[in-house]
Amino acid sequence: MPAYGAPTSGMPAYGMPDASGMPPAGAPGWSGPPTGPVIGGPGAGWPNGDRGTPTGSRNKLIIGVVAAVLLLVCGVGVAAAFVAGDPEQKRTSSGAAGGASASPTPSKAPEPLTATAYQTLLTDADAVMGPAWQKVAAAKNQAATVEAAQALADAVKTSAPRFASVTPPNEAAAGHEQLKRAFDSLGSDFVALTGDAKNGEICAGSAAVAQVTGLPAATYLRDAVKAFGTAFTFGAWLPAPVAQQTRTLANGTMVKKGTLNGSGEFTINNSGSTTDVVVSLVPNGGKVAAWTVYVSAGKTYKVKKVKDGNYQVYMATGVDWDPGVAGFTRSCEFEKFEDLFEFKTTSRQYTTWEITLKASVGGNADTDSVDPGDFPQ
């Protein structure tokens, strides 16, 4: 029993609440009735364990709160069920359901071409590659070599993919692999050849032929032809390896003699150079050389009987003089002097000029580069 005495008439000893519902002075632990909703039974501080019957509006509030709590609990339950069910769903998909689904079927290897179809493929490649190769071999100057090398690169670009995507007949299998290997390399090799022609490293067809036939890719192609044997025909356009040459002319050779019936003299001093040179005198405003002379590296040569007139002086340097194209085939450079050279003869005097073809500090003559196609013949 509480320390404040036994209850009388069901009420505590300290008396009944006053008219406002507040306890009498001195009642312990009770500061007034709760103001919020109550869930559950009455507390121990209520007389007889019963606080009384709540009003109708309080009932609605309690029911609403309980409903909200139940809804929240149900929501948690649903979420838990969903999460718990997901792994099971995955197990079912990868287990029973997955077992019922069909596994990927390996793709079937393409059927080998017939020998006739494969020979048609080779013949078509020959029809593209052969003419492009002949264009390279026939190139007579740097511009023509650039154009021919690009045509050869394009021919490989057209032909190579057709061999990469087929299965050859058994009798062509060995040659086919070598041919694909050759095409893989030739594509980049011919692009490089085009670049070499553009920058003057290769400036005629004979040098291009020597460069290409000595490449590993050319060996692969010849190996393919050998592997095909007599069963298939391909690649007759590609010759055996050709060595690069270093041909020269004798110092003072007149590449183009022209008419020499004047009194002037023109000396070319090439003694300080390691490169052969050809020098042309071209009448001012013209495109055709009056004459052209070959001067060897480390040598000097004097051209006599130069006719009076104003001339532009052109010169070309390089390696390997090809008489068939009348030009160098490798390491070519083309220049002309900025100033005109005047030759004038009187009854008492004639004109002489000397040019020294070696760059030097304090030199009094400037030169400009010339497009190979503009070099006079």
Side-chain angles (χ1 to χ4, degrees), residues 196-217:
D196 289 343
K198 287 180 178 179
N199 64 30
E201 286 302 309
I202 298 294
C203 35
S206 58
V209 168
Q211 177 166 308
V212 172
T213 58
L215 291 171

Side-chain angles (χ1 to χ4, degrees), residues 57-83:
S57 62
R58 182 61 59 84
N59 268 334
K60 292 179 182 177
L61 182 59
I62 292 172
I63 291 170
V65 172
V66 172
V69 172
L70 289 176
L71 181 60
L72 179 61
V73 172
C74 290
V76 172
V78 171
F82 179 81
V83 172

Side-chain angles (χ1 to χ4, degrees), residues 52-375:
T53 303
T55 64
S57 62
R58 182 61 59 84
N59 268 334
K60 292 179 182 177
L61 182 59
I62 292 172
I63 291 170
V65 172
V66 172
V69 172
L70 289 176
L71 181 60
L72 179 61
V73 172
C74 290
V76 172
V78 171
F82 179 81
V83 172
D86 190 52
E88 184 62 31
Q89 183 179 7
K90 290 182 179 179
R91 285 195 296 274
T92 301
S93 299
S94 61
S101 63
S103 58
T105 303
S107 59
K108 186 178 179 181
E111 291 291 331
L113 294 180
T114 64
T116 300
Y118 192 76
Q119 179 59 65
T120 299
L121 199 62
L122 292 172
T123 301
D124 290 345
D126 265 342
V128 175
M129 299 289 295
W133 177 258
Q134 294 304 320
K135 196 172 184 178
V136 169
K140 294 185 178 300
N141 54 50
Q142 187 175 343
T145 306
V146 171
E147 182 180 344
Q150 184 61 60
L152 200 54
D154 292 341
V156 171
K157 189 176 180 180
T158 298
S159 301
R162 301 185 64 187
F163 289 89
S165 60
V166 301
T167 301
N170 290 336
E171 60 268 37
H176 181 76
E177 291 305 311
Q178 288 292 344
L179 189 57
K180 288 200 302 181
R181 187 181 184 189
F183 276 137
D184 286 344
S185 297
L186 285 174
S188 57
D189 289 340
F190 290 159
V191 169
L193 176 64
T194 304
D196 289 343
K198 287 180 178 179
N199 64 30
E201 286 302 309
I202 298 294
C203 35
S206 58
V209 168
Q211 177 166 308
V212 172
T213 58
L215 291 171
T219 301
Y220 303 152
L221 197 148
R222 283 187 285 266
D223 288 345
V225 173
K226 186 183 297 183
F228 289 146
T230 59
F232 300 96
T233 302
F234 176 74
W237 48 268
L238 182 68
V242 177
Q244 290 285 14
Q245 302 181 73
T246 306
R247 293 163 287 183
T248 64
L249 293 176
N251 184 52
T253 299
M254 298 302 295
V255 176
K256 180 179 181 180
K257 189 172 183 180
T259 302
L260 293 170
N261 57 5
S263 301
E265 295 180 350
F266 191 79
T267 301
I268 301 105
N269 185 343
N270 199 31
S271 60
S273 174
T274 59
T275 305
D276 293 355
V277 63
V278 291
V279 177
S280 296
L281 253 65
V282 180
N284 186 33
K287 296 292 185 181
V288 179
W291 51 261
T292 301
V293 63
Y294 188 103
V295 183
S296 304
K299 302 289 184 176
T300 298
Y301 188 78
K302 180 186 290 186
V303 179
K304 299 179 179 180
K305 298 184 178 182
V306 178
K307 294 173 61 176
D308 287 356
N310 292 320
Y311 295 90
Q312 290 181 308
V313 177
Y314 287 78
M315 56 186 180
T317 58
V319 176
D320 182 41
W321 180 266
D322 184 347
V325 300
F328 295 108
T329 70
R330 301 193 307 277
S331 303
C332 304
E333 293 185 12
F334 303 88
E335 299 175 277
K336 72 173 182 178
F337 281 87
E338 287 185 353
D339 297 328
L340 291 175
F341 289 72
E342 182 183 13
F343 288 82
K344 185 177 180 180
T345 304
T346 69
S347 60
R348 294 190 176 189
Q349 61 183 17
Y350 59 91
T351 305
T352 63
W353 286 97
E354 178 174 353
I355 58 173
T356 300
L357 303 182
K358 180 180 179 181
S360 61
V361 177
N364 60 357
D366 294 325
T367 60
D368 294 323
S369 295
V370 177
D371 187 282
D374 294 334
F375 196 83

